[in-house]
Amino acid sequence: MVLAATAFDVSSQSNFVAYWGQSSAGSQKSLGEYCSDSSIDVIVMAFLYQFPNTKLDLSANCRSTFPGSELLHCPDVAEDIKKCQSQGKAVILSMGGAAGAYGFSSDEDGKKYADTVWDMFLGGSGSQRPFDDAVLDGVDLDIEGGSTAGYAAYVAQLRSHFEASSDKKYYITGAPQCPFPDAMLGSTLNSAWFDMVFVQFYNNFCGLDAYPQGFNYDQWDTWAKSQSANKNVKLYIGAPGSQSAAGRGYVDASTINSIASDIRSKYTSFGGVMTWDASQAFDASSWGQSVSSALKSGGSKKRAFEPVQGKLISTRSANVTAGAMHARLELVEGSAVYVSDTTNTFEFHVQIQSADQPIQQGWELHIPLPVGVSVAQASAQAHNIRVHDNTLVVVDGSTINENMAVAFRVAGQHIGNEFGLPDPAKIMLYTTA
């Protein structure tokens, strides 16, 4: 059985989670294709929509069944799961959903079904495993109907399996509605250990469209720190990936980036953003990529765009190493420049400073630009420069003595109301000699 290690960091505040499987946009890519996008940290597969009589629905991504059974058998999805995990992503199976026939009648039912899930999808050894030897990273509870009985016992029994296994880290997540306490999961959230909670801030009065007065993240933060069994549980802002993904609560990428930055600055419980669903968030609008990019840049570098030249955005730095070369990269200036109604221009400077003695060899600097940005022009004071795959490549044939400044101007169509400096930690420095 393949137990793929994951680099996913549950303690991070910059994770981006996407539900996949229900094709809410009308069509969707394969699981493997979405996992090739570096924007996504966690994929939640939807849904195990019937239990304890197990039935899966991945909306036409898997149609074959085990002989004499209605249980889906999905070898292609299994390979995609392993591909995702090999890329450092966690893959979790969601139970429940808005439509389905599920629930337990007692704690004993919950415990028994935890054993079933362990054997069918996690580290157990069931005779019929829908995803063959792929071992999922955990289970999500999206309970929106039926009885509330048995779920705490179910989680506790799964936890006992997790603790007895040293092969990998497993996670339990939940997806309550934002009204507090959640009608279906409230009691379970209070008594069972959850690693992450994806609060659905949409289709309700307390959603993203009610920010800031009616947005109730503060209630969930109080729960996390005072009532949750896991006082370090991470809370996620659940958001629709497009206008059609929910009845209400959708906000554009610029707005949710601002909200997430505000929440992150105030609450240590913040873990990132969850979206319903991948087919909506990762369409031509690039909503998902934009939100993930803002999370991973730390949010602090974002400032409101103003049509005033010379607006200082931030100063950011990082240490880099290329072979024997040690240097410090510092983005020392960022200024927003208004160009037209459809094109914004952003200017920034990169300063490279040797961390030790002057480096007696040539170097090459690769600077990835934020999503949605196209290069209009770039200057690099006597250095060669080119553009490749939305990356500025600067080549120098001499050495770094003390420091060198490279000035760039980049432009993007319809960037929106916010823009920021590239992340210096993602800038790559290479030796060329």
Side-chain angles (χ1 to χ4, degrees):
M1 189 168 292
V2 177
L3 296 169
T6 176
F8 168 68
D9 180 8
V10 71
S11 66
S12 172
Q13 289 190 302
S14 61
N15 287 321
F16 189 84
V17 178
Y19 278 75
W20 170 88
Q22 290 303 292
S23 187
S24 68
S27 63
Q28 66 183 357
K29 300 175 185 177
S30 70
L31 176 64
E33 288 178 281
Y34 285 113
C35 280
S36 295
D37 192 318
S38 61
S39 303
I40 302 175
D41 301 290
V42 181
I43 288 275
V44 185
M45 300 169 58
F47 283 108
L48 198 172
Y49 74 100
Q50 185 169 311
F51 58 85
N53 180 24
T54 304
K55 286 188 179 181
L56 289 165
D57 174 20
L58 301 175
S59 285
N61 284 275
C62 176
R63 295 184 182 275
S64 62
T65 60
F66 288 101
S69 169
E70 294 183 356
L71 181 63
L72 291 180
H73 181 211
C74 314
D76 290 342
V77 176
E79 291 305 309
D80 280 351
I81 291 169
K82 290 183 280 187
K83 174 184 176 181
C84 295
Q85 292 171 327
S86 72
Q87 295 174 349
K89 304 178 192 298
V91 185
I92 292 170
L93 179 63
S94 184
M95 298 172 55
Y102 52 82
F104 306 123
S105 59
S106 66
D107 284 354
E108 190 60 31
D109 282 348
K111 291 178 181 179
K112 288 180 179 178
Y113 196 64
D115 295 337
T116 298
V117 167
W118 175 253
D119 284 337
M120 291 180 70
F121 302 105
L122 302 172
S125 55
S127 60
Q128 291 185 329
R129 292 177 59 91
F131 308 121
D132 294 334
D133 64 347
V135 179
L136 293 174
D137 296 295
V139 174
D140 173 62
L141 294 180
D142 181 12
I143 308 305
E144 301 186 31
S147 169
T148 62
Y151 289 107
Y154 167 82
V155 173
Q157 183 69 6
L158 271 184
R159 286 282 177 198
S160 70
H161 286 295
F162 298 172
E163 292 168 4
S165 173
S166 59
D167 294 316
K168 64 182 292 179
K169 172 70 176 176
Y170 294 95
Y171 305 99
I172 297 290
T173 70
Q177 306 287 316
C178 63
F180 185 87
D182 182 76
M184 298 307 304
L185 273 179
S187 60
T188 302
L189 288 169
N190 286 343
S191 57
W193 185 284
F194 285 78
D195 298 287
M196 295 171 277
V197 173
F198 311 135
V199 184
Q200 297 182 45
F201 286 106
Y202 49 92
N203 291 335
N204 276 296
F205 61 88
C206 44
L208 288 160
D209 54 340
Y211 177 88
Q213 289 84 3
F215 187 68
N216 69 335
Y217 187 97
D218 58 334
Q219 284 187 294
W220 285 97
D221 177 75
T222 298
W223 164 81
K225 295 173 180 176
S226 63
Q227 293 177 266
S228 172
N230 174 15
K231 299 302 187 292
N232 294 314
V233 62
K234 285 298 184 182
L235 302 178
Y236 286 66
I237 296 175
S242 74
Q243 189 74 54
S244 60
R248 62 175 292 188
Y250 171 75
V251 295
D252 62 27
S254 175
T255 301
I256 193 170
N257 290 346
S258 177
I259 294 172
S261 180
D262 177 51
I263 296 300
R264 182 176 186 165
S265 69
K266 295 176 179 176
Y267 303 103
T268 57
S269 60
F270 179 76
V273 171
M274 172 276 284
T275 189
W276 176 269
D277 67 351
S279 69
Q280 304 261 13
F282 291 88
D283 60 6
S285 71
S286 298
W287 184 95
Q289 289 92 337
S290 176
V291 175
S292 177
S293 177
L295 285 169
K296 288 167 175 51
S297 68
S300 60
K301 73 181 180 67
K302 296 288 182 178
R303 299 291 187 271
F305 179 85
E306 297 178 9
V308 178
Q309 188 162 352
K311 171 72 174 178
L312 182 65
I313 304 299
S314 64
T315 299
R316 312 186 70 233
S317 61
N319 294 318
V320 296
T321 300
M325 181 184 294
H326 305 283
R328 183 169 184 80
L329 301 179
E330 185 172 340
L331 280 72
V332 296
E333 179 181 331
S335 56
V337 184
Y338 179 76
V339 177
S340 71
D341 291 337
T342 59
T343 303
N344 299 326
T345 296
F346 191 83
E347 295 182 335
F348 64 94
H349 301 267
V350 177
Q351 179 170 293
I352 305 174
Q353 184 172 358
S354 175
D356 39 35
Q357 297 300 314
I359 298 163
Q360 303 300 320
Q361 55 188 315
W363 54 267
E364 189 170 298
L365 193 67
H366 290 207
I367 306 175
L369 296 173
V371 174
V373 174
S374 59
V375 177
Q377 55 181 288
S379 59
Q381 297 99 9
H383 302 288
N384 296 321
I385 186 167
R386 66 180 186 271
V387 180
H388 179 70
D389 289 339
N390 211 43
T391 297
L392 293 175
V393 180
V394 185
V395 180
D396 180 68
S398 58
T399 62
I400 303 175
N401 293 312
E402 292 184 358
N403 62 71
M404 183 278 297
V406 185
F408 299 101
R409 169 174 287 192
V410 297
Q413 297 295 317
H414 306 289
I415 287 176
N417 295 324
E418 296 183 358
F419 190 65
L421 295 168
D423 184 351
K426 296 181 180 178
I427 295 176
M428 302 299 294
L429 184 66
Y430 301 91
T431 56
T432 58

